[in-house]
Amino acid sequence: QVQLVESGGGLVQAGGSLRLSCTASGSIFSIETMGWYRQAPGKQRELVAAITSGGDTNYADSVKGRFTISRDNAKNTVYLQMNSLKPEDTAVYYCNADHVSRWYRRTTYWGQGTQVTVSS
């Protein structure tokens, strides 16, 4: 089992910044893609950004140029730097990790979520 623990959410004014962190622990063999998703009230969960173990990144169009995803493979930690925040960024943000076991079994794990609220 792999556990993901997020931190860094909170309340910020529009135009402000927050940095989210997510650390994986437990029986880790290899983590491939790690990512951040978000879910606003009444909406479906959506991809915000993802990063492979090699550093390739992917962003939702709505956050390009404002958010930056990064990763420390040695610490099994992924970060999301969020700048120029807008009220529409308000959501619960979830960390996600694709783990591959020594027997090549692939499992996706999720964190518990952290609330980000952007006031206008």
Side-chain angles (χ1 to χ4, degrees), residues 16 18-19 22 28 34 36-37 47 50 63-65 68 75 81-82 88-89 95 99 110 117 120:
L18 283 174
R19 188 190 194 211
C22 171
I28 297 172
M34 298 187 79
W36 290 95
Y37 287 70
L47 173 69
V63 307
K64 283 181 181 176
T68 302
K75 296 181 179 180
Q81 178 66 44
M82 304 185 293
E88 51 264 42
D89 293 318
C95 174
H99 178 262
W110 292 89
T117 303
S120 58

Side-chain angles (χ1 to χ4, degrees), residues 9-69:
L11 173 65
V12 65
Q13 288 189 334
S17 298
L18 283 174
R19 188 190 194 211
L20 306 183
S21 299
C22 171
T23 299
S25 62
S27 301
I28 297 172
F29 182 72
S30 177
I31 296 178
E32 297 190 348
T33 302
M34 298 187 79
W36 290 95
Y37 287 70
R38 67 185 180 187
Q39 187 167 18
K43 295 188 177 181
Q44 289 189 333
R45 190 173 296 188
E46 62 176 0
L47 173 69
V48 176
I51 184 168
T52 68
S53 57
D56 293 329
T57 59
N58 180 40
Y59 295 93
D61 288 342
S62 59
V63 307
K64 283 181 181 176
R66 300 188 298 123
F67 291 11
T68 302
I69 190 169

